[in-house]
Amino acid sequence: MADKGVDGGRGRRAGVVNKQRGNSSQRFYLVLALVAVVGALFIVRAARAPRAIANVTTAPITAAKAEGYLLGNPNAPVQIMEFADFECPACGNFAVITEPDVRNRIVNTGLASYRFFDFPLPMHKNTMAASNAAACAADQGKFWEMHDELFRNQPEWNGESDNKDNPKKVFLGYAKSLGLNTDAWEKCFDSQAHQSRILANQAEGVRRNVQSTPTFVIGTRQIPGALSYDAFKAYVDSAAKEAPPVATKTDSAAPKTAAKSTTKGATK
Amino acid sequence: MSRRQTLALLAVVGVCIALYLTLYKIGVIGVLSCSIGSCETVNTSKWSMLLGIPIAAWGLGAYIALLVLAMVGSGEAHEASVPISRVIVALAGWSVLFSAWLTYQELFVIRAICIWCVSSAVLWLVIFILSVADLRAVSRAE
């Protein structure tokens, strides 16, 4: 009788433990399912979000030579190339924080020339439009001014901004503030007159196996990722040591003059 | 909730992060949601691939393996299994080291930070700490 009582007690306790375990498992599976569903919804929403919209052009695109946009003396001892996307945040940081020093202390001193190559990434909705805006500003000799405006104000026009569906309105504002002939700029922008030039710059990056933006080519070295000024200068100094000497008595004045005259203008 | 069940829960969170980054890498997702850092810079860099497979896909595999182990280990039949705990500790330890190396690449080589990748690295660290606690508890009970 006593044994029966003990057994009965154990049975009840085991029952309670099993019930508790069952409840705990149920709670666990519920939380697990909840987390999985929230994660799945987030991913499905991201996958369904609008992708980068291709620019539509009716004009046939003829192949162009990749030239980039030049800053400084083209005959400087070191040649620098930058492959960048106007909508890429890392490129924007570099352009705003480091590039002014690079221009003042490396390009303007005639140590190196600097060429910007468009490398629009497909995931950025408005980058092609921004490249187009800068190319049209280059027609009026103000590529670098537009370049600076675009990078400085990325949040005003990028694919996540309030103006994401009409970046042209913002770009037109920059064109006005830079004193461009807005009619000519607008005509150029609407007709995508420089699409082939932009694509040629991009193709040059693909040919060089550029895999991220910004990517720099300094002399013979290709360096992915934004660089600090000190690292940048170290690469330039290293490239300068490898470069053949260019300054002779007869042409030593030429780079200075050229650097001064081309510093703010872009070659076509 | 037991430690193994918590591990399973964390593994599901990890699966979601790794799946998101993998789908971006293979082009199914167009734009990464990245409020802090430069996720695209990191995920389009050459360090985002290993042996021709996206790093995120390797992470996805590791999280799925952890999920399976933690789910099996949460069952009544294996809840005191020391070998399962050891395998989880080994997997989590390796993942912590690998994540640390990736974070180093982000900070000092790519010079850009991807908030999703950092989240995954922190997640592996938490998983590792929890898995060591689980191994100690299971070994003591044996």
mmCIF file of all heavy atoms in Angstrom, chain A residues 55 69 84-87 116-121 126-138 143 146 150 157 171 185 188-189 194-195 197-199 201-202:
data_model
loop_
_atom_site.group_PDB
_atom_site.id
_atom_site.type_symbol
_atom_site.label_atom_id
_atom_site.label_comp_id
_atom_site.label_asym_id
_atom_site.label_seq_id
_atom_site.Cartn_x
_atom_site.Cartn_y
_atom_site.Cartn_z
ATOM 1 N N ASN A 55 19.331 52.520 -67.362
ATOM 2 C CA ASN A 55 19.003 53.710 -68.124
ATOM 3 C C ASN A 55 18.595 53.279 -69.538
ATOM 4 O O ASN A 55 19.249 52.450 -70.144
ATOM 5 C CB ASN A 55 20.225 54.625 -68.228
ATOM 6 C CG ASN A 55 20.380 55.452 -66.976
ATOM 7 O OD1 ASN A 55 19.414 55.664 -66.253
ATOM 8 N ND2 ASN A 55 21.592 55.890 -66.728
ATOM 9 N N TYR A 69 38.974 60.967 -66.457
ATOM 10 C CA TYR A 69 38.958 62.432 -66.388
ATOM 11 C C TYR A 69 40.251 62.848 -65.708
ATOM 12 O O TYR A 69 40.518 62.431 -64.581
ATOM 13 C CB TYR A 69 37.749 62.903 -65.585
ATOM 14 C CG TYR A 69 36.437 62.461 -66.188
ATOM 15 C CD1 TYR A 69 35.855 61.255 -65.816
ATOM 16 C CD2 TYR A 69 35.782 63.235 -67.142
ATOM 17 C CE1 TYR A 69 34.660 60.829 -66.367
ATOM 18 C CE2 TYR A 69 34.588 62.829 -67.703
ATOM 19 C CZ TYR A 69 34.028 61.622 -67.315
ATOM 20 O OH TYR A 69 32.850 61.201 -67.861
ATOM 21 N N ALA A 84 35.910 54.413 -59.498
ATOM 22 C CA ALA A 84 34.963 54.691 -58.411
ATOM 23 C C ALA A 84 33.535 54.762 -58.923
ATOM 24 O O ALA A 84 33.280 54.951 -60.116
ATOM 25 C CB ALA A 84 35.351 55.996 -57.723
ATOM 26 N N ASP A 85 32.639 54.598 -58.000
ATOM 27 C CA ASP A 85 31.202 54.618 -58.273
ATOM 28 C C ASP A 85 30.652 55.820 -57.491
ATOM 29 O O ASP A 85 30.913 55.932 -56.281
ATOM 30 C CB ASP A 85 30.637 53.289 -57.777
ATOM 31 C CG ASP A 85 29.125 53.233 -57.734
ATOM 32 O OD1 ASP A 85 28.502 54.089 -57.084
ATOM 33 O OD2 ASP A 85 28.566 52.306 -58.326
ATOM 34 N N PHE A 86 29.933 56.701 -58.171
ATOM 35 C CA PHE A 86 29.492 57.928 -57.503
ATOM 36 C C PHE A 86 28.559 57.649 -56.315
ATOM 37 O O PHE A 86 28.402 58.495 -55.451
ATOM 38 C CB PHE A 86 28.787 58.851 -58.508
ATOM 39 C CG PHE A 86 29.746 59.689 -59.309
ATOM 40 C CD1 PHE A 86 29.946 59.456 -60.655
ATOM 41 C CD2 PHE A 86 30.483 60.696 -58.706
ATOM 42 C CE1 PHE A 86 30.838 60.223 -61.394
ATOM 43 C CE2 PHE A 86 31.380 61.470 -59.422
ATOM 44 C CZ PHE A 86 31.559 61.237 -60.778
ATOM 45 N N GLU A 87 27.924 56.470 -56.318
ATOM 46 C CA GLU A 87 26.960 56.209 -55.240
ATOM 47 C C GLU A 87 27.574 55.360 -54.119
ATOM 48 O O GLU A 87 26.913 55.067 -53.124
ATOM 49 C CB GLU A 87 25.718 55.523 -55.835
ATOM 50 C CG GLU A 87 24.482 55.734 -54.988
ATOM 51 C CD GLU A 87 23.208 55.190 -55.638
ATOM 52 O OE1 GLU A 87 23.095 55.250 -56.874
ATOM 53 O OE2 GLU A 87 22.342 54.718 -54.896
ATOM 54 N N PHE A 116 40.210 59.918 -63.070
ATOM 55 C CA PHE A 116 39.020 59.281 -62.485
ATOM 56 C C PHE A 116 38.326 58.463 -63.569
ATOM 57 O O PHE A 116 38.056 58.962 -64.655
ATOM 58 C CB PHE A 116 38.069 60.362 -61.960
ATOM 59 C CG PHE A 116 36.788 59.823 -61.382
ATOM 60 C CD1 PHE A 116 36.671 59.580 -60.018
ATOM 61 C CD2 PHE A 116 35.691 59.551 -62.196
ATOM 62 C CE1 PHE A 116 35.491 59.079 -59.481
ATOM 63 C CE2 PHE A 116 34.509 59.050 -61.670
ATOM 64 C CZ PHE A 116 34.408 58.823 -60.306
ATOM 65 N N PHE A 117 38.051 57.212 -63.270
ATOM 66 C CA PHE A 117 37.308 56.341 -64.193
ATOM 67 C C PHE A 117 35.988 55.935 -63.534
ATOM 68 O O PHE A 117 35.985 55.449 -62.405
ATOM 69 C CB PHE A 117 38.116 55.069 -64.506
ATOM 70 C CG PHE A 117 39.282 55.300 -65.413
ATOM 71 C CD1 PHE A 117 40.459 55.850 -64.929
ATOM 72 C CD2 PHE A 117 39.213 54.988 -66.766
ATOM 73 C CE1 PHE A 117 41.536 56.083 -65.764
ATOM 74 C CE2 PHE A 117 40.281 55.210 -67.612
ATOM 75 C CZ PHE A 117 41.446 55.765 -67.114
ATOM 76 N N ASP A 118 34.899 56.136 -64.288
ATOM 77 C CA ASP A 118 33.604 55.679 -63.768
ATOM 78 C C ASP A 118 33.629 54.161 -63.655
ATOM 79 O O ASP A 118 34.078 53.473 -64.570
ATOM 80 C CB ASP A 118 32.472 56.038 -64.745
ATOM 81 C CG ASP A 118 32.458 57.505 -65.106
ATOM 82 O OD1 ASP A 118 31.868 58.271 -64.350
ATOM 83 O OD2 ASP A 118 33.055 57.877 -66.149
ATOM 84 N N PHE A 119 33.143 53.664 -62.516
ATOM 85 C CA PHE A 119 32.970 52.213 -62.388
ATOM 86 C C PHE A 119 31.607 51.977 -61.731
ATOM 87 O O PHE A 119 31.514 51.533 -60.584
ATOM 88 C CB PHE A 119 34.103 51.597 -61.567
ATOM 89 C CG PHE A 119 34.200 50.104 -61.740
ATOM 90 C CD1 PHE A 119 34.676 49.558 -62.922
ATOM 91 C CD2 PHE A 119 33.784 49.239 -60.748
ATOM 92 C CE1 PHE A 119 34.751 48.185 -63.107
ATOM 93 C CE2 PHE A 119 33.849 47.860 -60.921
ATOM 94 C CZ PHE A 119 34.342 47.337 -62.097
ATOM 95 N N PRO A 120 30.520 52.313 -62.468
ATOM 96 C CA PRO A 120 29.179 52.199 -61.869
ATOM 97 C C PRO A 120 28.833 50.748 -61.543
ATOM 98 O O PRO A 120 28.974 49.878 -62.394
ATOM 99 C CB PRO A 120 28.257 52.771 -62.965
ATOM 100 C CG PRO A 120 29.040 52.730 -64.222
ATOM 101 C CD PRO A 120 30.489 52.792 -63.857
ATOM 102 N N LEU A 121 28.430 50.520 -60.313
ATOM 103 C CA LEU A 121 28.074 49.162 -59.882
ATOM 104 C C LEU A 121 26.580 48.939 -60.115
ATOM 105 O O LEU A 121 25.778 49.847 -59.871
ATOM 106 C CB LEU A 121 28.413 48.976 -58.398
ATOM 107 C CG LEU A 121 29.909 49.077 -58.058
ATOM 108 C CD1 LEU A 121 30.103 49.159 -56.550
ATOM 109 C CD2 LEU A 121 30.658 47.891 -58.621
ATOM 110 N N ASN A 126 21.155 55.044 -58.893
ATOM 111 C CA ASN A 126 21.359 56.342 -59.548
ATOM 112 C C ASN A 126 22.804 56.636 -59.924
ATOM 113 O O ASN A 126 23.122 57.756 -60.313
ATOM 114 C CB ASN A 126 20.838 57.462 -58.639
ATOM 115 C CG ASN A 126 19.330 57.409 -58.526
ATOM 116 O OD1 ASN A 126 18.658 56.917 -59.435
ATOM 117 N ND2 ASN A 126 18.796 57.876 -57.416
ATOM 118 N N THR A 127 23.675 55.638 -59.819
ATOM 119 C CA THR A 127 25.086 55.916 -60.096
ATOM 120 C C THR A 127 25.338 56.258 -61.562
ATOM 121 O O THR A 127 26.147 57.121 -61.883
ATOM 122 C CB THR A 127 25.992 54.746 -59.626
ATOM 123 O OG1 THR A 127 27.339 55.132 -59.781
ATOM 124 C CG2 THR A 127 25.726 53.477 -60.392
ATOM 125 N N MET A 128 24.615 55.546 -62.462
ATOM 126 C CA MET A 128 24.809 55.819 -63.889
ATOM 127 C C MET A 128 24.352 57.240 -64.213
ATOM 128 O O MET A 128 25.004 57.951 -64.988
ATOM 129 C CB MET A 128 24.036 54.777 -64.705
ATOM 130 C CG MET A 128 24.397 54.716 -66.160
ATOM 131 S SD MET A 128 26.163 54.446 -66.436
ATOM 132 C CE MET A 128 26.169 52.749 -66.940
ATOM 133 N N ALA A 129 23.250 57.658 -63.594
ATOM 134 C CA ALA A 129 22.765 59.027 -63.812
ATOM 135 C C ALA A 129 23.799 60.032 -63.292
ATOM 136 O O ALA A 129 24.035 61.078 -63.917
ATOM 137 C CB ALA A 129 21.425 59.222 -63.110
ATOM 138 N N ALA A 130 24.447 59.711 -62.166
ATOM 139 C CA ALA A 130 25.460 60.615 -61.601
ATOM 140 C C ALA A 130 26.681 60.695 -62.512
ATOM 141 O O ALA A 130 27.221 61.785 -62.750
ATOM 142 C CB ALA A 130 25.869 60.131 -60.212
ATOM 143 N N SER A 131 27.097 59.542 -63.069
ATOM 144 C CA SER A 131 28.224 59.551 -64.021
ATOM 145 C C SER A 131 27.877 60.413 -65.222
ATOM 146 O O SER A 131 28.712 61.155 -65.744
ATOM 147 C CB SER A 131 28.526 58.128 -64.495
ATOM 148 O OG SER A 131 29.221 57.428 -63.502
ATOM 149 N N ASN A 132 26.626 60.289 -65.643
ATOM 150 C CA ASN A 132 26.118 61.058 -66.780
ATOM 151 C C ASN A 132 26.157 62.560 -66.457
ATOM 152 O O ASN A 132 26.596 63.379 -67.281
ATOM 153 C CB ASN A 132 24.686 60.574 -67.037
ATOM 154 C CG ASN A 132 24.135 60.997 -68.371
ATOM 155 O OD1 ASN A 132 24.877 61.459 -69.228
ATOM 156 N ND2 ASN A 132 22.834 60.868 -68.531
ATOM 157 N N ALA A 133 25.731 62.906 -65.242
ATOM 158 C CA ALA A 133 25.720 64.321 -64.818
ATOM 159 C C ALA A 133 27.144 64.881 -64.810
ATOM 160 O O ALA A 133 27.382 66.011 -65.262
ATOM 161 C CB ALA A 133 25.099 64.437 -63.429
ATOM 162 N N ALA A 134 28.093 64.078 -64.324
ATOM 163 C CA ALA A 134 29.489 64.542 -64.257
ATOM 164 C C ALA A 134 30.088 64.661 -65.653
ATOM 165 O O ALA A 134 30.811 65.622 -65.949
ATOM 166 C CB ALA A 134 30.304 63.569 -63.403
ATOM 167 N N ALA A 135 29.771 63.691 -66.524
ATOM 168 C CA ALA A 135 30.304 63.735 -67.896
ATOM 169 C C ALA A 135 29.787 64.976 -68.622
ATOM 170 O O ALA A 135 30.525 65.614 -69.382
ATOM 171 C CB ALA A 135 29.907 62.466 -68.646
ATOM 172 N N CYS A 136 28.520 65.322 -68.364
ATOM 173 C CA CYS A 136 27.948 66.509 -69.020
ATOM 174 C C CYS A 136 28.568 67.791 -68.447
ATOM 175 O O CYS A 136 28.717 68.784 -69.172
ATOM 176 C CB CYS A 136 26.429 66.525 -68.875
ATOM 177 S SG CYS A 136 25.654 65.223 -69.861
ATOM 178 N N ALA A 137 28.939 67.765 -67.179
ATOM 179 C CA ALA A 137 29.625 68.929 -66.596
ATOM 180 C C ALA A 137 31.033 69.045 -67.193
ATOM 181 O O ALA A 137 31.552 70.158 -67.365
ATOM 182 C CB ALA A 137 29.699 68.789 -65.081
ATOM 183 N N ALA A 138 31.640 67.898 -67.524
ATOM 184 C CA ALA A 138 32.982 67.912 -68.132
ATOM 185 C C ALA A 138 32.954 68.628 -69.481
ATOM 186 O O ALA A 138 33.946 69.256 -69.874
ATOM 187 C CB ALA A 138 33.497 66.483 -68.300
ATOM 188 N N PHE A 143 34.078 69.063 -64.666
ATOM 189 C CA PHE A 143 33.885 67.701 -64.192
ATOM 190 C C PHE A 143 34.186 67.589 -62.698
ATOM 191 O O PHE A 143 33.405 67.039 -61.929
ATOM 192 C CB PHE A 143 34.789 66.715 -64.946
ATOM 193 C CG PHE A 143 34.789 65.346 -64.317
ATOM 194 C CD1 PHE A 143 33.758 64.458 -64.557
ATOM 195 C CD2 PHE A 143 35.780 64.960 -63.405
ATOM 196 C CE1 PHE A 143 33.716 63.215 -63.939
ATOM 197 C CE2 PHE A 143 35.756 63.723 -62.781
ATOM 198 C CZ PHE A 143 34.715 62.850 -63.062
ATOM 199 N N MET A 146 31.659 69.096 -60.368
ATOM 200 C CA MET A 146 30.451 68.262 -60.259
ATOM 201 C C MET A 146 30.763 66.979 -59.477
ATOM 202 O O MET A 146 29.964 66.527 -58.652
ATOM 203 C CB MET A 146 29.928 67.931 -61.668
ATOM 204 C CG MET A 146 28.651 67.121 -61.679
ATOM 205 S SD MET A 146 27.256 67.937 -60.848
ATOM 206 C CE MET A 146 26.493 68.792 -62.221
ATOM 207 N N LEU A 150 28.705 65.806 -56.217
ATOM 208 C CA LEU A 150 28.025 64.504 -56.193
ATOM 209 C C LEU A 150 28.457 63.689 -54.973
ATOM 210 O O LEU A 150 27.623 63.125 -54.260
ATOM 211 C CB LEU A 150 28.324 63.724 -57.480
ATOM 212 C CG LEU A 150 27.690 64.285 -58.751
ATOM 213 C CD1 LEU A 150 28.285 63.614 -59.987
ATOM 214 C CD2 LEU A 150 26.174 64.078 -58.737
ATOM 215 N N TRP A 157 20.748 62.336 -53.306
ATOM 216 C CA TRP A 157 20.294 61.810 -54.597
ATOM 217 C C TRP A 157 20.455 60.289 -54.738
ATOM 218 O O TRP A 157 20.043 59.721 -55.743
ATOM 219 C CB TRP A 157 21.058 62.511 -55.735
ATOM 220 C CG TRP A 157 22.550 62.361 -55.633
ATOM 221 C CD1 TRP A 157 23.416 63.236 -55.057
ATOM 222 C CD2 TRP A 157 23.353 61.255 -56.084
ATOM 223 N NE1 TRP A 157 24.708 62.751 -55.118
ATOM 224 C CE2 TRP A 157 24.692 61.547 -55.752
ATOM 225 C CE3 TRP A 157 23.070 60.060 -56.742
ATOM 226 C CZ2 TRP A 157 25.733 60.686 -56.044
ATOM 227 C CZ3 TRP A 157 24.109 59.192 -57.035
ATOM 228 C CH2 TRP A 157 25.421 59.513 -56.681
ATOM 229 N N PHE A 171 20.657 67.017 -59.493
ATOM 230 C CA PHE A 171 21.855 67.285 -60.307
ATOM 231 C C PHE A 171 21.734 68.654 -60.989
ATOM 232 O O PHE A 171 22.720 69.372 -61.120
ATOM 233 C CB PHE A 171 22.052 66.198 -61.366
ATOM 234 C CG PHE A 171 22.236 64.808 -60.796
ATOM 235 C CD1 PHE A 171 21.908 63.682 -61.536
ATOM 236 C CD2 PHE A 171 22.747 64.627 -59.516
ATOM 237 C CE1 PHE A 171 22.078 62.414 -61.026
ATOM 238 C CE2 PHE A 171 22.922 63.357 -58.984
ATOM 239 C CZ PHE A 171 22.578 62.247 -59.746
ATOM 240 N N TRP A 185 23.583 71.574 -70.434
ATOM 241 C CA TRP A 185 23.810 70.437 -69.528
ATOM 242 C C TRP A 185 22.615 69.476 -69.568
ATOM 243 O O TRP A 185 22.780 68.263 -69.649
ATOM 244 C CB TRP A 185 24.029 70.952 -68.098
ATOM 245 C CG TRP A 185 24.272 69.828 -67.128
ATOM 246 C CD1 TRP A 185 25.454 69.260 -66.812
ATOM 247 C CD2 TRP A 185 23.265 69.108 -66.392
ATOM 248 N NE1 TRP A 185 25.269 68.241 -65.921
ATOM 249 C CE2 TRP A 185 23.926 68.119 -65.649
ATOM 250 C CE3 TRP A 185 21.877 69.200 -66.293
ATOM 251 C CZ2 TRP A 185 23.253 67.229 -64.815
ATOM 252 C CZ3 TRP A 185 21.197 68.312 -65.470
ATOM 253 C CH2 TRP A 185 21.893 67.337 -64.742
ATOM 254 N N CYS A 188 22.410 67.490 -72.784
ATOM 255 C CA CYS A 188 23.429 66.432 -72.735
ATOM 256 C C CYS A 188 22.970 65.298 -71.812
ATOM 257 O O CYS A 188 23.041 64.121 -72.161
ATOM 258 C CB CYS A 188 24.744 67.037 -72.246
ATOM 259 S SG CYS A 188 25.985 65.830 -71.769
ATOM 260 N N PHE A 189 22.432 65.668 -70.632
ATOM 261 C CA PHE A 189 22.005 64.674 -69.641
ATOM 262 C C PHE A 189 20.861 63.816 -70.196
ATOM 263 O O PHE A 189 20.891 62.592 -70.109
ATOM 264 C CB PHE A 189 21.563 65.387 -68.358
ATOM 265 C CG PHE A 189 21.191 64.452 -67.240
ATOM 266 C CD1 PHE A 189 22.152 63.964 -66.370
ATOM 267 C CD2 PHE A 189 19.869 64.043 -67.056
ATOM 268 C CE1 PHE A 189 21.821 63.094 -65.341
ATOM 269 C CE2 PHE A 189 19.525 63.168 -66.039
ATOM 270 C CZ PHE A 189 20.501 62.690 -65.172
ATOM 271 N N HIS A 194 27.078 60.874 -73.192
ATOM 272 C CA HIS A 194 28.393 60.306 -72.854
ATOM 273 C C HIS A 194 28.314 58.873 -72.337
ATOM 274 O O HIS A 194 29.233 58.417 -71.664
ATOM 275 C CB HIS A 194 29.082 61.207 -71.812
ATOM 276 C CG HIS A 194 29.374 62.562 -72.347
ATOM 277 N ND1 HIS A 194 30.242 62.773 -73.388
ATOM 278 C CD2 HIS A 194 28.892 63.785 -72.014
ATOM 279 C CE1 HIS A 194 30.298 64.060 -73.673
ATOM 280 N NE2 HIS A 194 29.476 64.696 -72.855
ATOM 281 N N GLN A 195 27.216 58.217 -72.673
ATOM 282 C CA GLN A 195 27.041 56.835 -72.197
ATOM 283 C C GLN A 195 28.208 55.946 -72.629
ATOM 284 O O GLN A 195 28.707 55.141 -71.847
ATOM 285 C CB GLN A 195 25.714 56.290 -72.755
ATOM 286 C CG GLN A 195 25.281 54.975 -72.151
ATOM 287 C CD GLN A 195 24.681 55.145 -70.759
ATOM 288 O OE1 GLN A 195 24.711 56.237 -70.185
ATOM 289 N NE2 GLN A 195 24.160 54.083 -70.209
ATOM 290 N N ARG A 197 31.265 56.788 -73.245
ATOM 291 C CA ARG A 197 32.477 57.139 -72.513
ATOM 292 C C ARG A 197 32.465 56.489 -71.107
ATOM 293 O O ARG A 197 33.470 55.952 -70.644
ATOM 294 C CB ARG A 197 32.547 58.659 -72.369
ATOM 295 C CG ARG A 197 33.720 59.123 -71.592
ATOM 296 C CD ARG A 197 33.751 60.626 -71.455
ATOM 297 N NE ARG A 197 35.030 61.023 -70.878
ATOM 298 C CZ ARG A 197 35.442 62.262 -70.761
ATOM 299 N NH1 ARG A 197 34.695 63.239 -71.189
ATOM 300 N NH2 ARG A 197 36.600 62.527 -70.236
ATOM 301 N N ILE A 198 31.297 56.566 -70.480
ATOM 302 C CA ILE A 198 31.157 55.985 -69.132
ATOM 303 C C ILE A 198 31.365 54.468 -69.203
ATOM 304 O O ILE A 198 32.098 53.883 -68.392
ATOM 305 C CB ILE A 198 29.767 56.321 -68.546
ATOM 306 C CG1 ILE A 198 29.632 57.834 -68.358
ATOM 307 C CG2 ILE A 198 29.511 55.584 -67.244
ATOM 308 C CD1 ILE A 198 28.199 58.320 -68.192
ATOM 309 N N LEU A 199 30.733 53.851 -70.201
ATOM 310 C CA LEU A 199 30.864 52.393 -70.335
ATOM 311 C C LEU A 199 32.299 51.989 -70.663
ATOM 312 O O LEU A 199 32.775 50.936 -70.230
ATOM 313 C CB LEU A 199 29.887 51.872 -71.397
ATOM 314 C CG LEU A 199 28.407 52.019 -71.044
ATOM 315 C CD1 LEU A 199 27.523 51.549 -72.191
ATOM 316 C CD2 LEU A 199 28.058 51.236 -69.771
ATOM 317 N N ASN A 201 34.982 53.602 -69.635
ATOM 318 C CA ASN A 201 35.725 53.700 -68.365
ATOM 319 C C ASN A 201 35.465 52.463 -67.507
ATOM 320 O O ASN A 201 36.373 51.897 -66.900
ATOM 321 C CB ASN A 201 35.304 54.957 -67.597
ATOM 322 C CG ASN A 201 35.849 56.222 -68.234
ATOM 323 O OD1 ASN A 201 36.792 56.159 -69.020
ATOM 324 N ND2 ASN A 201 35.259 57.359 -67.916
ATOM 325 N N GLN A 202 34.205 52.071 -67.480
ATOM 326 C CA GLN A 202 33.823 50.882 -66.694
ATOM 327 C C GLN A 202 34.513 49.628 -67.264
ATOM 328 O O GLN A 202 35.038 48.802 -66.505
ATOM 329 C CB GLN A 202 32.302 50.718 -66.742
ATOM 330 C CG GLN A 202 31.776 49.598 -65.879
ATOM 331 C CD GLN A 202 30.296 49.369 -66.105
ATOM 332 O OE1 GLN A 202 29.804 49.480 -67.241
ATOM 333 N NE2 GLN A 202 29.567 49.080 -65.057
#
